Amino acid sequence: MKILVTGSTGFIGAALCRALCARGDEVAAFHRPSSSLRLLEDLPVEHRLGDLTRAESLAEAVQGVDVVFHAEDQRLLQAFRERMERTDRRTQLARVCGIHDEAMLEH
């Protein structure tokens, strides 16, 4: 079975990769290009680079896999969601106020 593990370079994600490899599964480790690979060094995983905050990179990463285990740090995703919500609110405010340069809304 081909399994994609998000958050694969973290403590829990790497432990999950290790257990899946030991079980005989084919593992694809999804991580950012800048992530430390120290916890995956001795594992026979396929590295799939991307970022969960970019839908296109995730769509590419899931190609050909049967199962996805999501072990990404939820605090990072929550911070991303909050940043996107603030950006959306700022954009809506700019439209309502007729402001074309959103930089004017920075504080």
Side-chain angles (χ1 to χ4, degrees), residues 45-88:
V45 299
E46 174 191 347
H47 295 274
R48 295 198 180 182
L49 304 181
D51 187 329
L52 278 180
T53 63
R54 297 183 58 237
E56 63 276 6
S57 71
L58 186 57
E60 194 174 303
V62 298
Q63 295 298 313
V65 300
D66 303 302
V67 175
V68 175
F69 282 109
H70 181 61
E72 182 74 30
D73 186 341
Q74 291 299 307
R75 294 171 298 183
L76 294 175
L77 288 180
Q78 183 60 33
F80 172 75
R81 285 187 199 108
E82 290 170 3
R83 187 175 76 222
M84 293 306 296
E85 288 171 6
R86 284 193 304 273
T87 300
D88 289 344

Side-chain angles (χ1 to χ4, degrees), residues 1-10 12-31 39-49 61-71:
M1 181 177 297
K2 180 78 168 204
I3 300 174
L4 179 77
V5 178
T6 69
S8 59
T9 59
I12 292 174
L16 179 58
C17 287
R18 186 171 305 284
L20 293 169
C21 288
R23 192 174 82 168
D25 291 305
E26 191 178 345
V27 178
F30 184 68
H31 56 83
L39 297 175
L40 298 175
E41 285 177 344
D42 61 336
L43 296 179
V45 299
E46 174 191 347
H47 295 274
R48 295 198 180 182
L49 304 181
V62 298
Q63 295 298 313
V65 300
D66 303 302
V67 175
V68 175
F69 282 109
H70 181 61

